[in-house]
Each structure stands twice: as C-alpha cells, then as structure tokens.
C-alpha cells in the first residue's frame, strides 16, 4: 500500500490594506513592514495582494503601472464615490493596487498638510480606501481567506467585512486581522463623519466606534477584527495597561485572548553589512575588519577626528518626545564633557530640537556631529560605523533600528520598552553575555549612567564587547521567521472567525 506523505499546507489568498508601503509611500516603519511581510509571505507560496492609496507623491513613471479598473464605483454610507485602480508589482513580485481618487489623495502629504495639521477629512479619505479595497476584490474576483488591516487608517476594513459583507459571496468567508503598529495614533475625528462612514448610528457606542463623543477608527478595528496583532510581545502586553493603551486598554483587554505579539523582521537584502552597497566596506561576524573602515568614514562625514579607538555613539530618528530625544538633549552635554566619546545624530522633527542638535557641532567641535534631515547614506553609515546605537524611546511598539544595529555589530543602548525590550539582551558583566545595554526609568540620569556603563565596557572590558558584538551579529531577525508567525495568526483568525448575527448585530462563533 502506498504511504501517503504529509498533507500539503493550504496556500492562502491574503489581502493587505495599508496607507503606506515602501518604496511607494513611506512615513514610518509601517511602509517597510508591509513591503517585507508581503514579500516573505509570497516567497512562502501564498497569493498576497496589497492595496494602497494613489498619492500624488507617487511617481508612477518609476514603476510599470497598468490600469485595472476605470472607473470603479464604491458605495459609502450616504453617497457613491468613483475612482480608478492601477496596478504594479513590488520588488518582491507582489501585486500592488493603487486606488486613485484625486480629491482624496492628490495632496501635499499623506496625513497632514505642510503646516503639520491633520487633514480634516482623514476619516472620509481612509474610510473610502477601506471600502474601495473590498470593492476591488469583488470587481476583480479575488476571494481572500484573510484581510490584513494596519493601524487606524485601515481599521474600518474589519468593520465593513462584518457589517456590510458578512453574507457576500466573495468576502463573506474572509477572516480579518488588525495589526497595531502605533497605538498613540487612533484616528479620532468628529462624529459628523459617521454618515459617510456608513456603519450606522446604532454602532456609535462606547464599545465600538464612540470615544468622548467622537469617532475612533482604531477602536472600531479592535472591536470587529477576528485577531489583533501588535508588533512585539511586550507591546501587546503594554497596550492592555493604562499607560500603554492610550485610552484603549480596557477595550483591548476584552480581546486579550485574540491578541498576539509578533516581532517585525528586517530585510537582509537591504540591511546587511555583508552586502550593503551604502557603506564603504563590507564585513561579517567572521571578519569584522571592515567596520573600522566604516567608523573612520563616519567620522569623516561628520567632521570628527578619525580615531578608531574612541567610543562613538550614533542616534537616528524623529525628534519627537516618543523617541526620547528630549532625554538626549538633557544629557548629551554632560556626556560630551565627562566622557571620552564622539556623538553623531541624524534626524528631523521638533524645530527646537533641530536647532539644538544642529548647533552641537559648533559648541563641541571634534566631539559631536549632526545632520538635520534624512539621508539614507548617512543612516547606513551611522548603523555600520558607530560602536553604540542609542534609542531612549518612551515607548516603542517594535523598532527596527535596534535590530539593524545589532546585525551590523553596533550595540544598542535602549530603554526597556516594547520591542526594544524584546529584541535586546541586556549586558551581564559577570560573563559578558548580552547584545546591548538597557535602562528602565525614562529619566536623564538613567540615560546618562547607562551610556556611561556602555562606554566603560568599551574601554575596560573589550573582550566582553567583542563577545557581545559576535552574539548580536548572529541573531536571527529575518522576515521569514516573522512571516511564519503571521501565518499562524491568519489561521487562528480563520478558525476563530466571528460571525455577525444580523438580527441583533451580536457575534457568535
């Protein structure tokens, strides 16, 4: 009798809906996650499609964009919208659909104007995107097993699936998953938009859509999604607690059995010291000599003395309170005055911090270097050429730079929160184990003494430093690992799919 092999794994149809995706439109880490995760899932054999807005900043001449639907009608709560749909492919070969609507997406920025003021019609814009993504599936005959929404911008997708499409031939069987990348941004807007959103005033309740008499889009996603993921296990725990939940902790706690923390991966085709084309010398854990060349080039780029023996600390990020740059501003002068270090900073954001960090090289010539703005070459150079990478975030759902830096042999100095706590192993002076240096209290003193701890290790315990670098560079932060965890979450969502009883809009399993 012929022996049967294991049953082949079912290949899934996956629809990802997002407001960002690298390289088309990027503000933060969400864009990188959608690009890399969709590519990793495709490489595992699944049919993945991504839907994005066609922002005016997307230069379609750089991509092979083809029309798919023109026009496409999308019914909203109180009117019908018309749009067109274009298609291209990501660098991983994933089909990417652009929803083109001039009034909504032909603007200066993704979410706000040049004065950093949120567009007043953001709930309208992204409710439309969410509905259009589902309408697209119907019009092209794509029947998803799972629909993956991301953050507040597309958090209405699970709601529309449950309320509008529960009995739909194309979408009725689809389960939903919502990933929370940053809970500080929830999409809270006036309730006057609810008629357009179209979920009904009977759903404008404290447990679903209402928040202090306004509409909260992320809260709707938390209520209606089948599974919720957060971008690290610690972040998943923190958002169920009062400080970390930003007002949503009670509602997320109600779904704690459906909440999973999954660490983001990093794209080794872009972030790898062995093949990075943006750094002056490649290197690996087996032969790290190229890192010295990168360090000297970093010092040169920031007008610092080229000295391979001085401890060099790098920081990259948005100059906002969440990222802890105000803590750096309160401690950096004491560090530069009292420690034998060089400090390099790259970033933009708060104008007063831009002025402060921009003027540091003048006051501390030879010890501090800064670049106000973003520069990809300098970002890679800081990651490769620094000895330590500083991330003192007040909260950090996952973080990517601390994973990049470890892979490059640059030991992170982090506050133990969210993904920073999950991905960095704290140094142990007894045996030299660990991959970085952690502190817990979000205070200037805690930051100062932790940097001092790292610097003393650099000079006084070089054997431990070498051991930590080797351990850090060999850690596995691949997207293949994270994609497998997402697949398990998708399957759980499909097994535990909640169905809406249309007679009273209660859920049953």
């Amino acid at each position: 009798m012929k022996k049967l092999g294991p049953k082949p794994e079912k290949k899934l149809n996956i629809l990802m809906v997002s407001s960002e995706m690298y390289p088309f439109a990027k503000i933060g880490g969400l864009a990188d996650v959608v690009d890399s995760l969709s590519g990793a899932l495709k490489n595992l054999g699944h049919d993945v499609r991504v839907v994005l807005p066609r922002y005016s900043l997307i230069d379609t001449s750089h991509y092979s964009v083809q029309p798919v639907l023109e026009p496409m009608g999308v019914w909203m709560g109180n009117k019908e919208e018309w749009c067109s749909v274009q298609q291209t492919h990501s660098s991983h070969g994933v089909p990417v659909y652009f929803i083109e609507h001039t009034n909504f997406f032909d603007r200066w920025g993704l979410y706000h104007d040049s004065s950093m003021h949120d567009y007043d019609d953001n709930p309208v814009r992204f409710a439309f995107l969410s509905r259009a993504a589902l309408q697209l599936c119907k019009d092209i005959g794509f029947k998803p097993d799972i629909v993956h929404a991301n953050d507040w911008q597309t958090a209405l997708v699970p709601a529309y699936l449950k309320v509008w499409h529960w009995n739909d031939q194309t979408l009725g069987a689809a389960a939903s998953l919502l990933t929370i990348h940053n809970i500080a941004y929830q999409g809270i807007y006036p309730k006057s938009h609810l008629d357009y959103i179209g979920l009904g005033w009977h759903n404008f309740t404290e447990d679903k859509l209402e928040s202090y008499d306004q509409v909260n889009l992320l809260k709707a996603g938390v209520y209606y999604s089948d599974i919720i993921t957060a971008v690290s296990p610690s972040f998943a725990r923190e958002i169920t607690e009062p400080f970390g939940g930003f007002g949503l902790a009670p509602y997320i706690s109600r779904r704690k059995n459906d909440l999973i923390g999954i660490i983001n991966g990093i794209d080794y085709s872009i972030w790898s010291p062995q093949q990075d084309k943006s750094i002056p010398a490649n290197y690996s854990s087996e032969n790290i000599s190229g890192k010295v060349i990168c360090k000297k080039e970093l010092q040169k780029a920031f007008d610092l003395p080229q000295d391979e023996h001085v401890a060099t600390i790098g920081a990259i990020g948005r100059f906002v309170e969440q990222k802890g740059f105000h803590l750096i501003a309160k401690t950096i002068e004491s560090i530069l005055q009292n420690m034998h270090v060089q400090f390099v900073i790259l970033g933009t954001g708060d104008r007063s911090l831009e002025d402060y960090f921009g003027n540091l090289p003048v006051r501390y010539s030879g010890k501090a270097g800064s670049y106000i703005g973003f520069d990809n070459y300098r970002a890679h150079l800081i990651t490769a050429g620094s000895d330590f990478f500083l991330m003192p975030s007040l909260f950090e759902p996952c973080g990517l730079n601390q994973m990049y830096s470890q892979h490059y042999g640059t030991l992170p100095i982090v506050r133990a929160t969210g993904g920073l706590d999950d991905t960095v192993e704290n140094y142990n002076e007894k045996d030299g184990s660990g991959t970085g240096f952690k502190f817990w209290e979000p205070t200037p003193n805690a930051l100062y003494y932790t940097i001092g701890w790292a610097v003393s290790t650099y000079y006084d315990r070089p054997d431990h430093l070498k051991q930590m670098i080797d351990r850090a560079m060999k850690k596995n932060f691949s997207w293949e690992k994270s994609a497998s965890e997402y697949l398990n979450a998708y399957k759980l969502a499909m097994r535990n799919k909640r169905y809406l009883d249309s007679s009273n809009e209660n859920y049953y399993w």
Side-chain angles (χ1 to χ4, degrees):
M1 183 176 179
K2 186 177 180 180
K3 189 174 182 179
L4 295 176
K7 185 178 180 180
E9 183 181 64
K10 180 183 186 301
K11 300 306 179 184
L12 301 181
N13 289 343
I14 303 166
L15 178 72
M16 301 183 75
V17 190
S18 177
S19 59
E20 299 181 29
M21 181 182 184
Y22 178 84
F24 310 108
K26 173 179 165 65
I27 294 293
L30 169 62
D32 299 308
V33 170
V34 173
D35 175 49
S36 299
L37 175 57
S38 62
L41 291 167
K42 181 181 184 299
N43 289 340
L44 292 173
H46 302 279
D47 187 349
V48 190
R49 318 282 180 96
V50 180
V51 178
L52 296 173
R54 164 61 168 93
Y55 300 109
S56 56
L57 59 80
I58 300 175
D59 187 352
T60 54
S61 65
H62 288 300
Y63 315 105
S64 298
V65 176
Q66 301 294 327
V68 174
L69 292 171
E70 188 173 5
M72 181 177 78
V74 180
W75 280 102
M76 300 306 299
N78 56 12
K79 66 181 296 189
E80 186 176 20
E81 299 282 3
W82 293 91
C83 62
S84 62
V85 183
Q86 302 167 342
Q87 180 184 346
T88 187
H89 289 81
S90 74
S91 60
H92 305 286
V94 174
V96 178
Y97 298 93
F98 295 121
I99 304 298
E100 184 166 26
H101 189 294
T102 302
N103 288 343
F104 289 158
F105 304 126
D106 187 6
R107 303 188 182 187
W108 181 89
L110 274 58
Y111 314 124
H112 46 68
D113 59 26
S114 58
S115 300
M116 305 301 288
H117 179 268
D118 273 15
Y119 293 123
D120 293 334
D121 62 346
N122 271 347
V124 169
R125 301 169 70 221
F126 291 106
F128 166 74
L129 171 67
S130 300
R131 282 284 296 123
L134 299 176
Q135 184 63 45
L136 174 64
C137 290
K138 293 167 67 69
D139 286 2
I140 66 175
F142 180 67
K143 189 175 182 179
D145 296 298
I146 189 82
V147 181
H148 186 158
N150 293 276
D151 271 348
W152 69 266
Q153 294 91 340
T154 57
L156 290 181
V157 169
Y160 287 135
L161 277 175
K162 288 289 189 290
V163 176
W164 283 23
H165 297 288
W166 63 275
N167 198 30
D168 186 276
Q169 185 175 0
T170 302
L171 298 165
S176 63
L177 181 146
L178 170 68
T179 295
I180 300 176
H181 300 264
N182 191 336
I183 200 168
Y185 303 97
Q186 299 178 9
I188 301 174
Y189 293 97
K191 64 183 179 182
S192 57
H193 296 294
L194 191 59
D195 285 334
Y196 182 89
I197 289 171
L199 291 173
W201 284 93
H202 60 287
N203 284 319
F204 187 64
T205 59
E206 172 266 339
D207 60 331
K208 298 179 184 178
L209 281 157
E210 187 269 342
S211 181
Y212 297 97
D213 207 36
Q214 297 192 91
V215 171
N216 185 318
L217 304 187
L218 187 62
K219 180 189 272 192
V222 167
Y223 180 83
Y224 284 106
S225 58
D226 294 307
I227 287 290
I228 304 164
T229 63
V231 289
S232 72
S234 288
F235 180 54
R237 183 190 69 252
E238 290 168 0
I239 62 178
T240 65
E241 300 168 350
F243 175 78
F246 286 82
L248 287 186
Y251 310 98
I252 297 174
S253 294
R254 295 173 191 171
R255 302 291 313 278
K256 63 182 179 182
N257 292 332
D258 303 317
L259 174 64
I260 303 169
I262 302 175
I263 290 284
N264 290 333
I266 61 176
D267 190 339
Y268 287 134
S269 68
I270 300 173
W271 290 97
S272 170
Q274 294 172 281
Q275 58 187 17
D276 191 336
K277 296 179 180 178
S278 298
I279 59 178
N282 296 120
Y283 58 93
S284 67
S285 58
E286 285 72 31
N287 182 1
I288 202 170
S289 59
K291 189 169 175 63
V292 175
I293 299 172
C294 294
K295 182 173 182 175
K296 290 184 176 180
E297 191 62 31
L298 170 67
Q299 292 166 330
K300 180 181 177 182
F302 282 85
D303 297 321
L304 300 172
Q306 295 182 52
D307 180 358
E308 66 179 273
H309 300 295
V310 62
T312 302
I313 303 167
I316 303 171
R318 289 179 289 120
F319 296 164
V320 294
E321 187 172 3
Q322 177 205 333
K323 299 297 183 180
F325 276 89
H326 65 295
L327 294 178
I328 299 177
K330 292 176 180 178
T331 56
I332 191 169
E333 296 197 46
S334 296
I335 291 166
L336 294 172
Q337 291 167 6
N338 300 324
M339 302 181 197
H340 183 43
V341 296
Q342 293 176 341
F343 221 117
V344 292
I345 295 178
L346 168 69
T348 185
D350 182 272
R351 296 294 171 83
S352 62
L353 288 176
E354 286 186 357
D355 292 340
Y356 178 80
F357 291 126
N359 288 323
L360 269 180
V362 177
R363 290 182 286 125
Y364 293 92
S365 178
K367 295 200 73 174
S370 64
Y371 183 91
I372 306 305
F374 182 75
D375 181 270
N376 188 61
Y377 169 71
R378 284 182 168 83
H380 281 252
L381 198 56
I382 290 172
T383 305
S386 301
D387 298 300
F388 303 103
F389 192 92
L390 182 58
M391 292 183 71
S393 303
L394 298 191
F395 69 96
E396 191 67 59
C398 180
L400 293 172
N401 282 321
Q402 85 280 6
M403 292 190 279
Y404 298 153
S405 68
Q406 287 176 83
H407 193 51
Y408 281 71
T410 300
L411 302 180
I413 302 170
V414 302
R415 195 174 94 78
T417 181
L420 302 180
D421 198 16
D422 290 331
T423 57
V424 177
E425 302 167 41
N426 202 23
Y427 169 50
N428 186 333
E429 283 193 33
K430 293 181 180 179
D431 59 12
S433 61
T435 62
F437 302 83
K438 296 182 184 181
F439 65 99
W440 279 259
E441 292 297 322
T443 63
N445 275 349
L447 175 59
Y448 177 87
Y449 286 112
T450 306
I451 290 176
W453 185 31
V455 171
S456 71
T457 303
Y458 180 89
Y459 292 113
D460 301 334
R461 296 175 293 280
D463 289 345
H464 280 188
L465 198 78
K466 183 178 179 181
Q467 183 177 326
M468 293 173 70
I469 289 171
D470 183 68
R471 182 181 179 90
M473 294 185 73
K474 290 178 178 176
K475 292 191 74 170
N476 179 13
F477 294 120
S478 71
W479 261 112
E480 286 71 21
K481 179 181 178 182
S482 301
S484 295
E485 295 186 48
Y486 271 104
L487 282 174
N488 290 334
Y490 292 160
K491 293 169 186 174
L492 184 61
M494 293 162 62
R495 288 197 301 269
N496 296 348
K497 176 174 162 52
R498 303 187 302 161
Y499 292 89
L500 186 65
D501 182 346
S502 59
S503 64
N504 57 17
E505 293 206 0
N506 289 324
Y507 286 122
Y508 63 91
W509 284 260

